Each structure stands twice: as structure tokens, then as C-alpha cells.
Amino acid sequence: MPSVPNEDDDRTPSASPKESPATRTLRKVLPHMDRANELVEQGRIRAGSYIPVELAQLCLPYRDPKDLHFWERTNGNKKLLIEPALLPSRDGSIRRGFPFGSVPRLFLIWLTTEIKMQGRTDGQPIRVELGESLQDFMRQIGLTTGGGTQRRRVMDQLNRLVRARITILDLSAEGGAEGSWRDQGRQLSVASSWSLWHAGDDDDGEAPLMGSYIEVSPEFARSIDGAVPLATDVLRELQTHPMRLDIYCWLVHRMYRMRKRESRVTWHQLEEQFGGNYSQTRQFRAAFKTNLLAVRMYYPRARISVTKDGLLLRPSPKHIPQRGDLEQRGDKYDIARDIREANK
DNA sequence: TCGCATGGCAGTGACACGCG
DNA sequence: CGCGTGTCACTGCCATGCGA
């Protein structure tokens, strides 16, 4: 990522010049505008990746939840529950860890896409090879190749994701008489078995993922029916922002499935779905608006308005044009309109 | 109640260096 | 030459506190 040189020595935050909210929002999202317009202009918004519907609606942690016993997110009558992975160390000790950040999100998308490409529907176990090497794999999921730090992080997050217990609860189950109630849900854990080489265990330090594979759990394999199509080029642009990845997947899915004339989502609902652990709703609101602004640059035809109460969604052309849809080219992004809305 | 300023913490990327 | 490791700067998420 190119870093913008600063004229003054601004390592001391107090020395930074005063910025209006609009300027700050602009500074955060403007780098995306040219790139977004380029992708739309060149017709490069096309399906190349997929994500299961449940995971487009519910979010993994942005940061390490550390010692939490479980992680939960709610969207309408669906709840995502993640129990931490139990991670073996070389010395035989076990530690707990949640998958978090961009890596597991991108990996889930990559995995879903791989399964879809295999096109298997015979119900037999699906085995996904993780690539010739870790670098190869990282290129596939759009992570820039870096040094050993990056590779270790990816391996760590893969282990966390593969071993974590993921459950989708259905909260719509009606209550019975005398206070009785029904609990309904299903497992969505990623793998039923796996074989992962750890970089540190390699004798020569080469090709740490050679021979690594994941056998996809039947539940996860089933979840890719009707998976949401995403544009790989957009994912690459948003990859360093987990919240933007979540908003992008959710927005594409909502517009993909939208049947009603309009749909409203309150700030409370958005916070339950996307919010990290903000202590105040207004803090979440500010962060969400900025990130939504960045995402909308890649989906300029999404008819979405930010209101005092939340979001107002209207039926929109699909993000990924399908056969028969009109070409998206030529749709320029109206940044002025969205800056106004983001600062409402 | 809300917007805003400020700052801490943690994750991430770039880079230099050492090693085989 | 490729990989691992450590360091530093940058960035995003989030908290605290103040004033309108």
C-alpha cells in the first residue's frame, strides 16, 4: 500500500491540522474513487467469487475477542455463534483463539468459490487443496505477498477458522405453552477434517502448504447453494477493511434478493449485525457511514439512503450484471451525494 | 442526545537484516 | 536467492471526555 508522505512531522496527533468531518470522510474514501470508477467503466464488476448466504448476512469478529467464551452477531431472526478454536502448539499445549479480521473472511470466500468451481453435487466429501504453496494460496485470496509475518498470520487464522465451532441459530422459532420454547439451529463449521502443514515444521522452509488440504463439512458444502456472487476485483480493493468486506457482501446480497418495494434497516439492527464493540451507537454510526461510502463507490447503482433512523434500501440493479441485464459501464459515482449523506 | 477532538491499542505493511 | 525475524510507521477500531 503506498503511504502518503506528510509535509510536517505529524507523528504527534495533536500537531495535525483541523479537519472538518466532511474532509475526514473524504480523506478516508477518496483513494477508492478512481479505482472504483475504473472497475465499473471497464466492466470488471463480474462474478469471480462467492460467499454463502448466511455469511453474507452475519459477521466474524474484526479484532481478536481474546478471552470471550463465544462470539455472537444477530441479523433479524438469525444469530451467528462462534466458539473459539482449540489450537495445538508444537509443544503439545493447547490455546484458544477466534478467527478474526480480513484473512478468514477472504478464505471463506475463496473456499466457497473453490467448491463452486468443483461443481460437486454427488454428496461425497469435498476435499479442497490449499495450493502449491502459501504464497500461491495468498495470491488466490487476494492477499499481497509479504514476508514471514504475513504467512504466519494467514496460517494462524486458517487454523482458527478451520477449528472454530460455528453455529447458526434460528430465533424465529415460536414459543410454546407454559413458557416452553423450541431451540432451532444448525452447525456451519467449515471442515470435517483437515491436514495443514505449519510453516515452522518445514525442514527446508519451502512450500509450507504443499499437501495441505481441507475436507469440507457437509453442512458448509450445503450452505453454498445459492451463494452470493461477488466481484473479485472489488474484494481485492476492500481486503484490508473487514467492515467494508462485510458491508459489501451484505449489500450485494440484500440487493440480490430484494423483492419488496423498499426496506428499512435501523441503526440498532445494523449495530447488532456489523458493530464491533462500540460503547455508543453514534460511534458505530460514524464508522459505518464512512465504510458504506467506500463500498458504494464499487456499487454505484445501489439505491440506498442513509436516514436518521438507519438505512432505506430500494430495489436496485444487481451488482453483478447477469445475462440480459443492461451493461453497467458508464455509471459514474456521485461522490457529492454520498458525502452529504454520510455527514447527515 | 449528539457531534467532535483526542488518544490508546492492536493489526497490518514495508523494509532491513541474517541465515542457509 | 528465498525465507524467517524483528522493527517501525501507518491505519482502523474503539474509548473517554467535553461542549452544543
Side-chain angles (χ1 to χ4, degrees):
Chain A
M1 196 197 302
S3 56
V4 182
N6 291 307
E7 274 81 338
D8 311 320
D9 175 20
D10 56 0
R11 289 300 299 149
T12 47
S14 56
S16 61
K18 297 277 181 218
E19 263 185 340
S20 71
T23 312
R24 197 163 47 243
T25 305
L26 262 177
R27 181 169 50 78
K28 285 187 176 178
V29 302
L30 213 48
H32 283 279
M33 195 164 70
D34 289 344
R35 181 72 181 137
N37 278 336
E38 191 184 315
L39 291 180
V40 174
E41 286 285 314
Q42 294 175 358
R44 288 172 61 189
I45 305 294
R46 53 175 180 255
S49 304
Y50 296 86
I51 187 168
V53 170
E54 277 92 351
L55 296 171
Q57 295 172 295
L58 296 157
C59 307
L60 300 177
Y62 297 130
R63 299 176 153 207
D64 193 349
K66 303 276 188 198
D67 296 330
L68 275 187
H69 292 296
F70 57 88
W71 166 265
E72 59 178 320
R73 290 287 91 159
T74 306
N75 180 353
N77 51 27
K78 284 207 173 93
K79 185 189 278 287
L80 172 75
L81 263 184
I82 300 179
E83 294 165 69
L86 298 177
L87 303 158
S89 304
R90 210 175 179 179
D91 61 5
S93 61
I94 301 286
R95 64 193 169 92
R96 289 156 31 102
F98 288 89
F100 65 91
S102 297
V103 172
R105 287 167 164 81
L106 291 166
F107 178 74
L108 281 169
I109 291 170
W110 176 82
L111 183 64
T112 308
T113 309
E114 283 291 305
I115 300 169
K116 220 162 162 70
M117 291 303 122
Q118 286 192 16
R120 295 273 297 279
T121 54
D122 54 7
Q124 294 301 305
I126 299 173
R127 179 187 282 208
V128 175
E129 308 288 338
L130 294 190
E132 300 256 317
S133 69
L134 184 53
Q135 278 181 315
D136 179 36
F137 165 64
M138 283 159 57
R139 266 195 300 275
Q140 286 187 59
I141 64 173
L143 285 171
T144 51
T145 55
T149 317
Q150 175 82 324
R151 270 187 289 281
R152 268 198 308 281
R153 197 166 56 236
V154 170
M155 279 311 289
D156 184 42
Q157 288 297 330
L158 275 192
N159 271 287
R160 288 165 182 247
L161 181 66
V162 161
R163 291 177 161 85
R165 185 179 165 91
I166 303 174
T167 310
I168 304 285
L169 292 179
D170 181 1
L171 307 178
S172 65
E174 73 283 4
E178 310 258 341
S180 64
W181 59 287
R182 189 155 50 111
D183 169 35
Q184 214 165 278
R186 63 191 182 93
Q187 289 298 327
L188 195 60
S189 298
V190 173
S192 51
S193 66
W194 56 86
S195 171
L196 298 173
W197 282 99
H198 294 253
D201 296 341
D202 265 327
D203 291 333
D204 54 6
E206 284 181 3
L209 267 181
M210 189 72 80
S212 293
Y213 67 85
I214 287 175
E215 200 161 287
V216 178
S217 73
E219 296 80 16
F220 190 85
R222 269 197 297 277
S223 78
I224 71 162
D225 291 340
V228 182
L230 305 168
T232 309
D233 284 324
V234 176
L235 293 173
R236 283 180 207 275
E237 299 304 319
L238 301 177
Q239 58 160 284
T240 52
H241 303 253
M243 190 190 273
R244 290 183 193 177
L245 285 172
D246 288 342
I247 294 173
Y248 173 63
C249 295
W250 170 77
L251 186 61
V252 170
H253 169 253
R254 282 299 292 253
M255 294 310 190
Y256 195 66
R257 298 288 160 89
M258 195 150 174
R259 298 285 177 269
K260 289 190 282 187
R261 273 182 46 222
E262 65 173 44
S263 178
R264 289 176 190 276
V265 191
T266 65
W267 285 115
H268 178 69
Q269 289 170 323
L270 290 168
E271 192 171 5
E272 281 201 313
Q273 185 182 343
F274 296 101
N277 293 299
Y278 288 97
S279 59
Q280 294 169 10
T281 298
R282 64 174 190 272
Q283 293 170 334
F284 163 74
R285 201 179 296 185
F288 184 87
K289 281 180 183 176
T290 301
N291 289 327
L292 176 66
L293 190 58
V295 169
R296 290 187 64 180
M297 292 186 177
Y298 297 95
Y299 191 178
R301 298 214 292 184
R303 297 176 65 210
I304 178 168
S305 304
V306 178
T307 70
K308 186 171 155 291
D309 302 319
L311 297 183
L312 174 62
L313 309 174
R314 296 190 187 86
S316 308
K318 290 186 178 64
H319 175 56
I320 308 285
Q322 296 179 312
R323 234 171 289 172
D325 289 349
L326 289 173
E327 279 284 336
Q328 279 198 33
R329 296 183 197 197
D331 264 323
K332 278 269 187 178
Y333 185 75
D334 179 4
I335 190 169
R337 176 198 63 195
D338 279 356
I339 291 284
R340 277 195 303 277
E341 287 200 344
N343 288 300
K344 263 182 191 169

